């Protein structure tokens, strides 16, 4: 038989085998491999950085395991070279099984009488990770064959580069570290790019036998194994040089910064059923947040006697929607540190009022509207009786003063006029999701912030004024400065937002309620609003420039009452400090708030709110709608009598006037008479408001130098004229009796629980 006839069958057979193998490989590539897909979609440990590139956390997976992911293109080429040389020299030349190494290992094992070499390729090692061996079962030939088959399937579906990438990011190194990234950080406190040649060679042999090649317990064996691999990679070093290089200075401690914020991000991702990426650059400034945390803690310590124990901070960039600061409190505190003060619900107090007045402007109220800050009750069958925080009344006040000085009576009156349901709709547009489904438990006290909302919701909503009426979509990741925030929705017109900004930045209008507090006197345009919850469990401050909005909460998660005299200037000081810092850092960010286009400043009588007449002595400038500027009514409240200017107040002010100094008692011989409350009136006792803050004003006329009020037969107080008392409401029937030198006057009222 000729040579040609001899070789032809061999070639045909070889060709047939090759075609068969290609067909099998093609079939394997087409067949689904769910285990491999599942393996490749496993979550990894996210490296979380702040906007300045500071590492905040490397998020652990189950049981504290860390598995960082680095793309092969992002790893030094030297790492791949060394690991291939150490584990699988023929990696780029085989299809998953190295038959030459397999035969060599067989002879080595037979010669040694035991298993000294497994001849596992990198792909076969990856196969064991994709389809793990059953725990406790012996490694039989059948098990090895199954792993080889899995390796062939992997090779049919993935490129060599992808296989090496998966391997380097998944191989276990012990000490709760999987992959070269976590190994570099756990053992040496560095990234893979910062690994020296000596450390790369140690890691390459360490994964083979972690206990046997530990450089601290077995330095000789570790060095020998590393140098064996180094002989194939061109690396060499003396034992002393190598040990000095691979010995870390101290055990690496993973950072745990911005824990509340990062937990919020993790929980949101889990709720949406998605994994976080390998690397996440957040919008927050960690150093700035931590500096403000220290400031909050200092102020909490200074006011420990006032029962302030926790504080939270939230700040947002109005333009981009980026969250700049997020501190839920002292995360590591034994005192409820795991509660996030940014997302926990608390009563908002008076910080709810700007939204109420903005809603009123949208409904046609004028900035020149005058509100009666007088004793007032609301309702028909059941009556709600609000009080100002100092139990004083100021008579007629302009909307500007009512809002800036945070007066309660005008706010409740306004909500009464607008309707609770309508205002709840506005709050829903503003993003107060916490109030969903709360309408049944919400009444007119909503005007005073009895509804429970989060600091995040409050701060985001407060940015509506600086943003010209729209709400931003908040961003947790850093974006370019020229990237404007997407709008969550437009709630108020730009003119309404501008008018509210003008009112909240007006120091004179604020003076009635707060004096000329320096904390609000910034050298740049700014607006502020503070609040105290009905139960005095927390105090809140909000502040904005045109670029940034900040919210600070202080109080107690445990429900303890904050001492009332503390006031909200403490969180306001932190808001001011943060706005100062942001404005200094971002020069030009705090611009003037815009003027409303459809309004013009015009003089008004501050008593009546009308166009001032010749007898009006107190005049101020206020925004008036352009459409009605020339048709305003001239003040009818002021008139001249006997050569003196008098004020003719509307009827709703008569009770207020009777309680002023020099009024309230009639001439001699007049029998005592309880003017208010009328006999048989029904009032509401609101359990969400401190009992001591729910008081009923009792007005009485009569003759005498003094009068005594008895409540349910017990002496409450004896006063001189004017005969006015403030009696705490108590559920049930309250029998009121006033005794003077003349026969007594009596009245009974019923107080129902809301």
């Amino acid at each position: 038989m000729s040579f040609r006839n001899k070789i032809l069958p061999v070639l045909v057979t070889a060709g047939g085998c090759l075609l068969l193998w290609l067909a099998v490989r093609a079939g394997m590539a087409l067949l689904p491999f769910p285990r491999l897909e599942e393996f490749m979609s496993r979550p990894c440990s996210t490296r979380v950085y702040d906007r300045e590139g500071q590492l905040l956390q490397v998020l652990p997976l189950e049981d504290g395991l860390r598995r960082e992911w680095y793309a092969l293109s992002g790893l030094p080429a030297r790492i791949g070279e060394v690991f291939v040389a150490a584990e699988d020299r023929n990696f780029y030349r085989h299809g998953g099984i190295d038959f030459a190494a397999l035969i060599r290992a067989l002879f080595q094992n037979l010669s040694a009488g035991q298993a000294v070499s497994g001849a596992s390729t990198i792909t076969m090692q990856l196969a064991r990770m994709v389809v793990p061996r059953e725990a406790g079962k012996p490694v039989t030939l059948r098990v090895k064959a199954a792993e080889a088959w899995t390796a062939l399937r992997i090779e049919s579906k993935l490129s060599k580069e992808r296989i090496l990438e998966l391997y380097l990011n998944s191989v276990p190194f012990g000490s709760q570290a999987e992959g070269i990234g976590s190994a570099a950080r756990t053992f040496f406190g560095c990234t893979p790019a910062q690994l020296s040649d000596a450390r790369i060679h140690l890691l390459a042999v360490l994964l083979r036998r972690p206990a046997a090649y530990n450089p601290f317990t077995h330095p000789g064996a570790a060095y020998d194994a590393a140098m064996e691999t180094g002989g194939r990679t061109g690396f060499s070093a003396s034992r002393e040089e190598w040990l000095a290089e691979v010995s870390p200075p101290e055990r690496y401690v993973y950072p745990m910064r911005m824990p509340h914020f990062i937990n919020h991000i993790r929980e949101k991702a889990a709720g949406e059923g998605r994994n976080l990426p390998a690397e996440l650059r957040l919008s927050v400034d960690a150093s700035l947040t931590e500096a403000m945390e220290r400031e909050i803690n200092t102020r909490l310590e200074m006011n420990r006697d006032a029962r302030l124990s926790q504080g939270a901070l939230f700040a947002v960039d109005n333009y981009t929607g980026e969250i700049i600061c997020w501190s839920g409190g002292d995360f590591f505190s034994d005192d409820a540190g795991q509660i996030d003060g940014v997302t926990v619900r608390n009563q908002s107090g008076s910080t709810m009022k700007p939204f109420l007045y903005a809603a009123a402007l949208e409904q046609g109220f004028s900035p020149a509207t005058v509100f009666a800050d007088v004793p007032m009750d609301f309702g028909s069958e059941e009556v709600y009786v609000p009080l100002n925080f100092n139990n004083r009344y100021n008579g007629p006040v302009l909307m500007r003063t009512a809002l800036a000085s945070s007066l309660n009576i005008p706010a409740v009156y306004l909500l009464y006029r607008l309707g609770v349901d309508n205002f709840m709709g506005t709050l829903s547009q503003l993003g107060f999701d916490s109030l969903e489904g709360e309408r049944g438990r919400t009444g007119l006290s909503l005007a005073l912030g009895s509804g429970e909302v989060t600091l995040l919701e409050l701060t985001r909503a407060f940015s509506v004024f600086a943003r010209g009426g729209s709400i931003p979509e908040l961003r947790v990741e850093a974006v370019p400065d020229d990237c404007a925030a997407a709008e969550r929705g437009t709630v108020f017109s730009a003119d309404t937002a501008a008018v509210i900004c003008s009112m909240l930045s007006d120091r004179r209008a604020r003076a009635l309620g707060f004096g000329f507090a320096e904390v609000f006197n910034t050298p740049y345009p700014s607006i502020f609003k503070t609040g105290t919850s009905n139960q005095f469990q927390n105090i809140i401050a909000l502040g904005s420039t045109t670029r940034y909005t900040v919210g600070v909460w202080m109080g107690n998660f445990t429900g303890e009452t904050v001492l009332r005299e503390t006031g909200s200037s403490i969180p306001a000081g932190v808001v001011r400090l943060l706005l100062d810092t942001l404005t200094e850092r971002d020069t030009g960010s705090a611009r003037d708030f815009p003027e409303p286009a459809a309004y013009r400043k015009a003089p008004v009588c501050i008593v009546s709110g009308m166009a001032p007449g010749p007898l009006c002595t107190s005049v101020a400038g206020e925004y008036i709608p352009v459409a009605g500027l020339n048709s305003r009514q001239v003040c009818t409240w002021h008139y001249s009598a006997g050569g003196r200017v008098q004020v003719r107040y509307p009827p709703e002010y008569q009770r207020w006037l009777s309680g002023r100094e020099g009024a309230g008692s009639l001439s001699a011989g007049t029998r005592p008479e309880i003017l208010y409350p009328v006999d048989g009136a029904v009032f509401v006792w609101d359990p969400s408001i401190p009992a001591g803050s729910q008081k009923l004003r009792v007005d009485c006329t009569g003759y005498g130098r003094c009068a005594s009020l008895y409540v349910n037969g017990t002496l409450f107080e004896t006063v001189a004229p004017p005969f006015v008392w403030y009696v705490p409401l108590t559920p049930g029937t309250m029998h009121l009796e006033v005794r003077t030198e003349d026969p007594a006057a009596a009245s009974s009222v019923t107080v129902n629980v809301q």
Side-chain angles (χ1 to χ4, degrees), residues 66 100 109 126 207 231 260 332-333 460 465 514 557 566 591 619 640 653 668 720 726:
R66 283 183 170 85
N109 294 339
L126 180 62
L207 67 88
H260 283 121
F332 303 101
S333 169
R460 178 182 59 197
F465 304 117
F514 303 100
F557 296 137
T566 301
R591 301 184 300 274
V619 178
S640 179
Y653 291 92
Y726 291 95

Side-chain angles (χ1 to χ4, degrees), residues 379-416:
S380 52
E381 296 181 356
E382 293 190 339
V383 182
Y384 175 65
V385 185
L387 292 173
N388 283 329
F389 59 89
N390 56 6
N391 290 333
R392 295 179 181 176
Y393 302 94
N394 302 284
V397 292
L398 288 170
M399 177 186 285
R400 176 176 296 270
T401 301
L403 172 57
S405 288
S406 200
L407 303 178
N408 287 347
I409 310 299
V412 175
Y413 168 78
L414 196 51
L415 181 56
Y416 182 72

